[in-house]
Amino acid sequence: MDKQQLSKDILKLVGGEENIDQVTHCMTRLRFNLNDNNKADRTTLKNTPGVMGVTENGGQFQVIIGNEVSEVYKALVNNMSMSMKPNAEGGKKQRNPISALFDFISGMFTPILPAIAGAGMIKGIVSILVALGWMTNTSSTYIILSAVGDGAFYFLPIILAISAAKKMGSNVYVGAALAAGLMHPTITALLQEGNTSFAGITVIATSYASSVIPIVIAIWIASYVERAIDRITHSSLKLIVVPTVTLLIMVPLTLIAIGPLGGIIGNGLSGGIRWLFDNASIFASILIGGTMSVLIITGMHYALLPLAVGSIATLGYDFIIPLMFAANMAQGGAAFGVGFKSKNTQTKSLSYSTGLTALMGITEPAMYGINMKFKKPFIAALIGGAVAGAFLGAFSVKAYFISTVGLPGAASYVGPDISNLLYALIAALIAFVVASVITYILGFQEEVPAPSALSATIPVVAEDTKLQDEQIFSPMSGEVKPLSLVPDPAFSEEMMGKGFAIQPAEGRAVSPVNGTVFSVSKSGHAIGLVSDLGAEMLIHIGIDTVKLKGQFFSPKVQAGAKVSVGDLLMEFDREEIEKAGYNMITPVIITNMDQYTDVQSAGRTKIHEKEWMYTVKV
């Protein structure tokens, strides 16, 4: 993947730099806040090599790249002259409140996930070491490692303050100072003794360690306070006055009002989740597990992150993360089901690779690149998530910390009872198997482009024929081109097979192999052959030339004819076809690549009939 060129293509296709208000990225997607989403060329973006899909969630225009998104993002930013800092107040386009809320939550939580996931993994490793008896919970090693794992969660308000302030466009260091003031050991000790007062106003005792909602509300209000002070302060005094007044207003205001209110909201939400799973566990698990992938598409899953983090902070565990885990396993299972069922080599390879990525916790490549593309596998994944959700609900499976929602994060299910981990893994297996089996049973319709006009049956190669490396000769004179330059994704993405293309210089095609013609399309634009050594081939003369319905094509052979290298197969009026507006680039491909490993070019850029073009390798 040429990341520099891809970033330039994306920049152009989203409407150019002037159409970008802000751009960020998560683990698989570039997330654009565009001034006008309608200016983005969705169709061309979807067909751009390196782009797995395009979607809009919560007002964001998202381009799905996969595991290399961070490098593409860096290249994209380097190609831009504008600052990546969010615009000042009023500079952003107006969006509906729900979209704005999801955008704020996702923009705030996505950057901090690596920190809390890494800390969570350390907590899991420590729990496993203690459970195996390799470490005691009184040793200094345990105390140090526990502090490393707990640190990101204990000081979560400071981490969140930085991320939220950055998202709001306010000073991140003032935000961090606000959170640090709330968590200062002196204030923590004062509040632990009970209610106190500030300037005669009662301060209700509230714990801010590991909390989410109080600091988020505080930073949101602080962003407006900071801008208001900035507007009325002379430029020569801004450096001192703005942060000083902001902190003097916000720290007491948070202690007196925002913190207690946020605590009530947080405890209420956590209590509500606990009540739901205590009283309707299976129903809730089926509902969330079965719809989690839909929530991810809409971006609404970010609304669950504060609930999960808050639940772990107040209860010590969470029920939602296991359901996310099951949904991811189901997406991976559905992708593998496509791989088991597909007859297309390219689809098989993509299905297995993206399915494995989903099992590791990154579902977007499988979800957008495979399952949603073929539709039925996505439905199978929803069913797999629901069935696994029922199992999780029946056994009240919990996550004890935030981690990657995939197999590497299995340690997050290690708790006081080791059976919790066992049930989580069983649920993962259920999700994977159910989604995979249902995908295989339901099947799916693979898009077959114009070459499907070939109607005859491919001759069956004798079972005792042993495939071997075979030289493929050129069927015409012209310029050799890589398939990536063919303006049809069926060929450029090697969906039909591998090989090369020719820009013909003359109006004739000859046999590239010794073998049999198994089909000549009614429109004359495509010829299928099978060599005596077993290579199945397709010569597709021009792109979309099937629409000519045989005009300008004159076949010289019929299906079943035996041919040798150089025998005339077809004559066509190249100039008239080009005048009609058709691209004459001609793919010459091996369609049974599942029986071969690769094709090796002869290295020619210009070629004549019967010259060696490439070798197909066993």
Side-chain angles (χ1 to χ4, degrees):
M1 179 192 295
D2 186 340
K3 300 177 184 63
Q4 281 291 341
Q5 185 58 49
L6 177 58
S7 68
K8 292 177 181 177
D9 292 341
I10 292 173
L11 183 59
K12 177 182 177 181
L13 293 171
V14 297
E17 182 175 336
E18 64 277 5
N19 193 37
I20 300 174
D21 177 51
Q22 186 182 23
V23 58
T24 57
H25 75 90
C26 57
M27 291 186 177
T28 59
R29 313 182 199 186
L30 293 172
R31 296 173 174 269
F32 292 92
N33 291 104
L34 300 180
N35 296 317
D36 185 355
N37 286 358
N38 293 325
K39 289 184 178 180
D41 188 344
R42 295 167 177 78
T43 302
T44 306
L45 264 173
K46 289 178 181 178
N47 293 325
T48 299
V51 174
M52 292 184 171
V54 175
T55 186
E56 289 184 46
N57 291 332
Q60 282 188 332
F61 188 88
Q62 301 175 5
V63 181
I64 303 158
I65 302 298
N67 294 334
E68 297 181 334
V69 66
S70 62
E71 295 180 36
V72 175
Y73 172 79
K74 291 176 183 177
L76 179 74
V77 172
N78 288 336
N79 288 327
M80 299 175 72
S81 60
M82 65 178 285
S83 170
M84 290 297 97
K85 187 175 180 179
N87 291 345
E89 185 181 16
K92 297 182 181 180
K93 63 178 182 174
Q94 294 298 314
R95 287 171 289 155
N96 68 71
I98 299 299
S99 295
L101 176 62
F102 288 150
D103 177 42
F104 174 65
I105 293 174
S106 64
M108 176 178 56
F109 272 93
T110 299
I112 73 169
L113 285 178
I116 58 178
M121 286 300 297
I122 293 173
K123 287 170 64 71
I125 292 171
V126 170
S127 297
I128 292 173
L129 293 176
V130 172
L132 294 174
W134 295 350
M135 181 189 298
T136 65
N137 57 10
T138 57
S139 68
S140 58
T141 302
Y142 172 85
I143 293 172
I144 292 172
L145 290 179
S146 293
V148 174
D150 289 334
F153 294 94
Y154 184 86
F155 293 104
L156 184 60
I158 298 178
I159 298 174
L160 272 174
I162 295 171
S163 186
K166 184 176 181 180
K167 181 63 180 175
M168 293 301 298
S170 54
N171 191 301
V172 296
Y173 303 106
V174 173
L178 195 166
L182 299 174
M183 299 192 66
H184 192 280
T186 302
I187 291 182
T188 300
L190 182 66
L191 295 177
Q192 284 178 345
E193 296 177 0
N195 294 349
T196 184
S197 65
F198 175 82
I201 303 173
T202 300
V203 175
I204 299 174
T206 302
S207 175
Y208 293 96
S210 304
S211 64
V212 173
I213 295 178
I215 194 62
V216 171
I217 297 175
I219 294 297
W220 175 60
I221 295 175
S223 68
Y224 290 96
V225 172
E226 181 181 319
R227 283 195 288 265
I229 299 169
D230 184 82
R231 280 197 298 267
I232 63 175
T233 303
H234 191 273
S235 58
S236 62
L237 300 175
K238 288 181 186 289
L239 180 63
I240 299 298
V241 173
V242 175
T244 303
V245 177
T246 300
L247 289 173
L248 281 175
I249 293 174
M250 289 308 305
V251 173
L253 180 61
T254 303
L255 288 170
I256 293 168
I258 298 173
L261 176 61
I264 293 171
I265 295 173
N267 291 333
L269 290 173
S270 298
I273 292 172
R274 181 175 183 178
W275 180 91
L276 181 63
F277 281 93
D278 284 345
N279 294 276
S281 178
I282 295 179
F283 171 76
S285 298
I286 292 174
L287 180 63
I288 298 175
T291 60
M292 183 58 68
S293 295
V294 176
L295 297 179
I296 291 173
I297 294 172
T298 62
M300 291 177 64
H301 65 300
Y302 282 106
L304 299 176
L305 280 175
L307 302 182
V309 174
S311 180
I312 290 175
T314 57
L315 303 176
Y317 55 81
D318 171 65
F319 293 108
I320 296 175
I321 295 172
L323 298 172
M324 292 181 174
F325 179 45
N328 284 4
M329 298 302 101
Q331 289 292 339
F336 269 85
V338 171
F340 297 147
K341 187 80 170 181
S342 176
K343 303 296 184 183
N344 184 290
T345 305
Q346 181 73 10
T347 301
K348 279 181 176 290
S349 175
L350 185 61
S351 297
Y352 293 142
S353 62
T354 59
L356 181 61
T357 302
L359 297 184
M360 296 299 105
I362 307 299
T363 59
E364 282 89 343
M367 188 160 62
Y368 289 100
I370 295 294
N371 299 337
M372 289 183 66
K373 175 181 178 182
F374 295 123
K375 298 179 178 64
K376 289 181 181 178
F378 184 72
I379 296 174
L382 298 183
I383 296 173
V387 174
F391 180 87
L392 290 167
F395 290 93
S396 299
V397 177
K398 310 172 183 68
Y400 292 95
F401 56 86
I402 303 290
S403 183
T404 55
V405 196
L407 292 176
S412 61
Y413 305 103
V414 176
D417 187 352
I418 196 64
S419 63
N420 187 76
L421 171 62
L422 177 62
Y423 291 144
L425 295 177
I426 292 174
L429 181 62
I430 291 172
F432 180 89
V433 172
V434 169
S436 182
V437 170
I438 292 178
T439 295
Y440 194 89
I441 293 173
L442 291 179
F444 49 90
Q445 184 64 46
E446 291 191 73
E447 296 179 5
V448 182
S452 63
L454 303 175
S455 57
T457 303
I458 298 174
V460 177
V461 180
E463 291 185 3
D464 59 352
T465 298
K466 185 176 180 180
L467 294 178
Q468 54 187 280
D469 292 357
E470 182 175 0
Q471 285 188 327
I472 306 300
F473 298 91
S474 178
M476 56 183 65
S477 299
E479 295 183 15
V480 180
K481 306 285 187 180
L483 287 181
S484 60
L485 296 182
V486 178
D488 183 336
F491 297 110
S492 63
E493 297 178 14
E494 299 183 341
M495 296 179 185
M496 298 293 295
K498 291 186 176 183
F500 292 87
I502 299 175
Q503 192 72 47
E506 301 175 355
R508 52 183 271 129
V510 301
S511 177
V513 293
N514 298 324
T516 304
V517 176
F518 68 79
S519 182
V520 178
S521 66
K522 293 179 180 180
S523 59
H525 73 292
I527 303 169
L529 306 98
V530 61
S531 76
D532 291 339
L533 297 179
E536 297 165 12
M537 298 195 61
L538 172 66
I539 303 172
H540 193 277
I541 303 171
I543 301 303
D544 288 335
T545 45
V546 64
K547 297 177 182 178
L548 291 171
K549 299 181 179 180
Q551 188 180 13
F552 309 129
F553 288 94
S554 178
K556 301 303 179 183
V557 293
Q558 295 180 345
K562 295 288 292 182
V563 293
S564 299
V565 174
D567 288 350
L568 183 62
L569 302 176
M570 177 77 66
E571 289 182 343
F572 52 91
D573 194 328
R574 179 178 62 87
E575 293 182 356
E576 289 299 320
I577 295 173
E578 289 178 340
K579 285 181 182 178
Y582 293 90
N583 189 331
M584 286 304 301
I585 192 167
T586 299
V588 182
I589 62 173
I590 305 296
T591 56
N592 61 332
M593 279 304 300
D594 57 327
Q595 297 176 270
Y596 295 92
T597 59
D598 200 6
V599 294
Q600 185 176 52
S601 172
R604 305 179 193 272
T605 56
K606 291 187 180 295
I607 201 164
H608 295 92
E609 289 180 5
K610 300 188 293 183
E611 286 185 338
W612 173 38
M613 185 177 179
Y614 61 83
T615 298
V616 58
K617 309 285 288 185
V618 176

